[in-house]
Amino acid sequence: MKLFQSVKRLLTVPNDNPELALAQFKAFSKQVPLLYFILLTNMLSLAGTHQQSAPFWLVKVVPAVFAVIFIVRGIGWIRESRKTVDAAYAYRRLISTNLLVPPIAIMSVAWSVALIPYGNDYQRAHVAFFMSITVIGVIFCLMHLRSAALMVTFLVILPFAIVMGLSGEPTLIATAVNMFLVSLAMIAILMRHYSDFTKLNEQRLTLLAQQAALHDKNREMQLLSDENLRLANLDSLTQIANRRSFFSNLTSAFERARAENRRLAIGVVDLDGFKPVNDLYGHSAGDKVLIEVADRLSTFGRAGCSIFRLGGDEFALLIDMDGKAAMDEKALVELGQRICASLSLPIMIGNSVVHVTGSMGIAVYPDVGLNGQDLYERADYALYSAKRENRASVVVFNARQAKALFRQRQVEEVLFAADLSREITLAYQPIVDARSGRTVGFEALARWTSPVLGPVSPAEFIPIAEQHGRINLITRLLLTRALKDAASWRGEPYLSFNLSPHDLAVEENVLRIISAVSSSDIAPERINFEITETAIMHDFEQAAHSIELLRALGCQMSLDDFGTGYSSLNHVHKLPLSKIKIDRSFVDRIDERPASYKIVKSVLTLCSEMGLTAIAEGVEREEEVRVLKQLGVNAMQGYYFSTPLVQDLAAARLEREQADAGAAMALVTGE
Ligand code: C2E
Ligand code: MG
Ligand code: MG
């Protein structure tokens, strides 16, 4: 039973290994045409030597039929060897070959045996040679199809041995024995070769499997790294492209614009009034606003226009103006206006409605921009102009801004190299009591006269110094000087000193201010610090803490330029302020402007309710003085009373007032 199983296994094509069948088919299909070639030439040669002696049908008809079969099959296999086939097909072809081989072998043997009676000794020897050489050739060619090779061997060798043994011819018997032994050796070689082939194929398959696994791993790694790259370029809150993505896209977009002569626009959007939302409603509300803004902006994204979040409440757009939907500058501005309009629509946060607006700066290449970064800086400058001059609007970087930017760069450069302690001085503008008209305080105002640029307004250089971290130095320098000057003032008016947001943002800076005040010869109660609404909005918690520290020292605190920023009454309530300075835009022609009149009136009501001193800034005309007095303002400041004065003139003003007061007193008392 076991023997039968083994023989069966040897004589059939294994069907449990499709890969092996495929490999067998590939190797085998190249050899089968050669097999038919060997059979054909051997047969024709044997038929040739028997032409004269054997019958017509045996040397002409049968070889002709065989020749046709061999040629057709041979050509068929040449075609097969070029085909890409699957394992199932390969298996089928191997089976059919296995089935076809025995009849061909039997017929060939029968044919050659049939020739024996017609031949002489030489011709019989040729028959022996035919069988031997054919069997060796066939075994070689069928190396990869073990079953077929074994069947051919037995089907040829057995009749060959019998026929030759029966011939009684010693030479033929020796040839048969020899052939039998050689065949045994050939079979041994065939078996080893087949087993090597099987193993080699298995190794090849293992290698292929390893390669496939490696390939899969590589693919997995690639997917992972693609995902990482995607996440690295995505803003986690709003799910739109982030700052990093913006700058890498900007560089490539700029290079493309330059190379292909296309126009490229950068839009930078910044929200106005976002900080108060964060402060009043909390950070999660702030996050919702940012997500909503990103969603609204995304509706403007399309082919050639991509949206990014640069960080905080700043967003950016990259617009290919010569892309699919080409646009001119007018269309670009209209797009910007539509964007600003969409941002100003109310946003629902839970049950509350919040309002923010967006300002936008645009720069267009090739009008401006030497590289991507340069173009971005110009868009950012245009945004800065929009925020300063016309919030919730679009500003395209133009010649006026180019000039202003040039000037800003110039001031930056000179400021960096300046000897600040020598070049920056102070002027003191009197703050007068509304009723008595006497100077109750002086506001210290920085004055910079650069040897290169001449006088530069603080409105110009203070923001630059803030941007470049030089403001703390300026504050320290000027505060020490102002404290020294104020200590010598007669009548002890207070010193009002402007602080920048940066002075309040870091506790270390506040401690330095406290130390300067403490080591001066002037009582903290005589010092008033002015802070703007922007300083509070910058970081409300920190600003409130800093204000408390200064108040605890005894200093007073004014909210400067009230009404121009975003602070709400809510903020004013929360802070321990002592004064409010009404911005000069509300004072300007208050006698002619009912709106300003109403605003100032309500601010004054607020001040009196909260026990705050109200100071009107920028008073220039008598009519303004009259209205402000009538409304009940506590103190006033402006060119009407005095421009900012150098220390000597400020001191002289105080002397004069003292003298006048002395004279008045003498008049009253009659001394
Ligand atoms: P501010 O604190 O609101 O100062 C008042 C500004 O109004 C001053 O401008 C002053 O010269 C000007 N002014 C006063 N009266 C009138 C008037 O009747 N009409 C008009 N049109 N203007 C008047 P200045 O000196 O150019 O200062 C501009 C701003 O620069 C200041 O506004 C303040 O925010 C800032 N600043 C000035 N000095 C310093 C400083 O030492 N430190 C800080 N951080 N900021 C300063
Ligand atoms: Mg001020
Ligand atoms: Mg002011």
Side-chain angles (χ1 to χ4, degrees):
M1 191 64 188
K2 230 175 165 187
L3 183 72
F4 175 73
Q5 287 290 338
S6 309
V7 172
K8 193 182 163 205
R9 193 169 56 80
L10 285 174
L11 298 184
T12 49
V13 181
N15 66 349
D16 55 350
N17 193 340
E19 288 299 333
L20 178 65
L22 205 58
Q24 272 179 296
F25 177 81
K26 269 190 198 154
F28 170 77
S29 59
K30 287 192 192 98
Q31 272 157 226
V32 181
L34 294 173
L35 168 77
Y36 284 116
F37 175 73
I38 290 170
L39 287 173
L40 183 69
T41 53
N42 287 0
M43 195 169 253
L44 290 179
S45 142
L46 189 62
T49 57
H50 287 75
Q51 283 298 310
Q52 305 304 320
S53 50
F56 179 79
W57 65 272
L58 209 54
V59 290
K60 289 264 176 14
V61 179
V62 175
V65 172
F66 271 117
V68 171
I69 294 173
F70 294 161
I71 290 169
V72 170
R73 300 277 312 149
I75 292 173
W77 274 98
I78 290 175
R79 288 208 185 119
E80 294 268 349
S81 67
R82 291 178 188 151
K83 270 192 205 164
T84 324
V85 300
D86 62 6
Y89 180 83
Y91 180 68
R92 279 202 307 278
R93 297 298 287 134
L94 293 180
I95 295 276
S96 67
T97 307
N98 226 23
L99 293 176
L100 205 64
V101 160
I104 290 180
I106 290 168
M107 283 194 289
S108 303
V109 168
W111 174 74
S112 65
V113 168
L115 284 173
I116 293 176
Y118 302 101
N120 57 24
D121 290 350
Y122 285 119
Q123 284 167 320
R124 277 201 296 277
H126 192 182
V127 172
F129 176 76
F130 167 80
M131 289 203 185
S132 321
I133 201 71
T134 306
V135 89
I136 292 172
V138 169
I139 290 175
F140 260 115
C141 291
L142 294 177
M143 277 285 185
H144 299 97
L145 189 59
R146 185 178 63 183
S147 47
L150 287 175
M151 279 192 286
V152 169
T153 311
F154 289 112
L155 289 173
V156 176
I157 289 297
L158 276 182
F160 177 73
I162 293 167
V163 172
M164 292 302 152
L166 291 178
S167 72
E169 184 66 50
T171 317
L172 293 181
I173 294 170
T175 310
V177 172
N178 185 200
M179 187 57 223
F180 183 71
L181 295 175
V182 168
S183 293
L184 286 182
M186 292 287 295
I187 286 171
I189 294 172
L190 168 78
M191 298 293 271
R192 186 141 11 98
H193 173 269
Y194 187 78
S195 120
D196 287 350
F197 175 75
T198 316
K199 274 190 205 139
L200 217 71
N201 194 54
E202 268 163 21
Q203 283 170 2
R204 190 180 65 89
L205 288 178
T206 319
L207 206 74
L208 281 177
Q210 282 170 351
Q211 275 175 356
L214 201 73
H215 182 257
D216 283 355
K217 188 104 202 127
N218 281 346
R219 239 183 89 73
E220 212 175 281
M221 298 280 280
Q222 186 59 46
L223 286 175
L224 208 71
S225 101
D226 287 353
E227 179 62 6
N228 279 344
L229 194 71
R230 192 184 73 82
L231 289 177
N233 284 298
L234 201 72
D235 177 57
S236 55
L237 177 69
T238 58
Q239 297 297 308
I240 62 172
N242 63 12
R243 184 180 185 86
R244 175 198 158 104
S245 168
F246 171 73
F247 282 104
S248 68
N249 275 279
L250 170 62
T251 312
S252 48
F254 190 88
E255 289 313 322
R256 199 174 52 243
R258 184 151 55 187
E260 296 173 16
N261 240 338
R262 297 161 86 100
R263 287 167 309 144
L264 173 72
I266 293 184
V268 188
V269 177
D270 190 279
L271 299 183
D272 312 307
F274 174 68
K275 268 265 165 214
V277 172
N278 242 351
D279 292 341
L280 288 174
Y281 299 94
H283 284 268
S284 78
D287 285 354
K288 283 187 188 136
V289 168
L290 292 174
I291 293 169
E292 176 62 26
V293 166
D295 285 352
R296 288 184 190 179
L297 286 175
S298 297
T299 60
F300 294 92
R302 52 178 169 76
C305 174
S306 4
I307 317 286
F308 306 83
R309 179 179 172 213
L310 297 183
D313 59 352
E314 207 170 306
F315 296 82
L317 292 95
L318 266 183
I319 305 158
D320 177 4
M321 292 174 70
D322 291 320
K324 264 191 190 153
M327 56 167 79
D328 55 12
E329 192 164 307
K330 191 165 160 268
L332 183 67
V333 171
E334 277 166 13
L335 172 73
Q337 283 164 344
R338 282 204 309 278
I339 288 176
C340 290
S342 99
L343 295 183
S344 65
L345 296 175
I347 299 175
M348 284 298 294
I349 306 285
N351 292 329
S352 321
V353 181
V354 300
H355 284 271
V356 291
T357 53
S359 305
M360 186 171 182
I362 295 179
V364 180
Y365 174 82
D367 301 352
V368 291
L370 301 170
N371 52 43
Q373 182 67 30
D374 200 46
L375 192 60
Y376 165 71
E377 277 170 21
R378 277 158 173 73
D380 200 44
Y381 190 83
L383 166 70
Y384 172 71
S385 309
K387 282 186 90 77
R388 203 180 33 189
E389 290 157 24
N390 199 2
R391 274 171 195 248
S393 71
V394 184
V395 171
V396 180
F397 189 87
N398 54 24
R400 187 169 65 85
Q401 263 118 22
K403 212 170 143 204
L405 184 61
F406 177 77
R407 165 76 181 177
Q408 183 181 316
R409 296 261 158 91
Q410 205 180 18
V411 173
E412 270 167 21
E413 237 169 69
V414 179
L415 188 68
F416 249 93
D419 177 358
L420 294 180
S421 65
R422 224 163 41 85
E423 295 173 22
I424 296 194
T425 56
L426 277 169
Y428 299 101
Q429 186 171 36
I431 299 166
V432 301
D433 182 80
R435 273 196 274 168
S436 66
R438 289 191 58 176
T439 305
V440 286
F442 283 103
E443 176 173 6
L445 295 163
R447 294 289 173 261
W448 177 32
T449 311
S450 154
V452 185
L453 302 170
V456 184
S457 155
E460 192 175 5
F461 77 82
I462 294 281
I464 294 176
E466 283 171 349
Q467 271 172 35
H468 295 275
R470 296 213 89 187
I471 191 67
N472 298 332
L473 174 74
I474 294 178
T475 300
R476 240 180 303 153
L477 195 100
L478 294 183
L479 180 61
T480 319
R481 214 177 280 171
L483 288 168
K484 195 162 163 267
D485 286 347
S488 67
W489 291 339
R490 282 194 63 179
E492 304 198 336
Y494 67 82
L495 164 73
S496 211
F497 190 89
N498 292 288
L499 291 180
S500 103
H502 294 252
D503 296 322
L504 296 181
V506 182
E507 185 157 327
E508 197 191 331
N509 297 337
V510 183
L511 296 177
R512 281 214 195 97
I513 293 170
I514 291 175
S515 139
V517 172
S518 312
S519 54
S520 74
D521 295 329
I522 166 170
E525 291 70 23
R526 274 186 60 206
I527 300 165
N528 174 73
F529 287 109
E530 296 191 11
I531 47 162
T532 56
E533 294 175 81
T534 344
I536 305 170
M537 291 305 145
H538 195 63
D539 181 349
F540 186 80
E541 301 300 327
Q542 179 58 42
H545 176 65
S546 303
I547 293 170
E548 265 153 27
L549 286 178
L550 293 170
R551 287 289 278 155
L553 184 69
C555 301
Q556 304 190 49
M557 216 76 209
S558 302
L559 190 58
D560 203 359
D561 306 341
F562 186 73
T564 54
Y566 267 86
S567 67
S568 61
L569 295 182
N570 199 329
H571 284 100
V572 177
H573 273 290
K574 279 190 195 164
L575 293 170
L577 296 170
S578 16
K579 302 182 196 335
I580 277 185
K581 296 188 78 172
I582 302 166
D583 191 71
R584 73 160 183 271
S585 54
F586 302 107
V587 171
D588 183 29
R589 282 180 289 139
I590 188 172
D591 50 310
E592 298 166 8
R593 293 179 167 174
S596 299
Y597 181 91
K598 275 188 200 145
I599 291 170
V600 173
K601 193 174 173 192
S602 64
V603 172
L604 290 175
T605 315
L606 171 83
C607 288
S608 82
E609 272 169 17
M610 291 175 61
L612 298 172
T613 305
I615 302 167
E617 291 186 287
V619 183
E620 292 182 353
R621 297 158 54 239
E622 200 170 342
E623 291 77 12
E624 291 162 359
V625 176
R626 185 179 45 78
V627 174
L628 289 165
K629 269 188 181 171
Q630 177 207 324
L631 281 172
V633 81
N634 304 96
M636 289 182 272
Q637 176 185 353
Y639 295 162
Y640 177 79
F641 302 100
S642 167
T643 56
L645 307 168
V646 292
Q647 161 71 356
D648 287 350
L649 290 180
R653 179 183 171 96
L654 290 172
E655 294 286 350
R656 203 171 49 245
E657 278 184 16
Q658 287 280 322
D660 290 351
M665 188 67 88
L667 213 63
V668 172
T669 55
E671 283 176 13

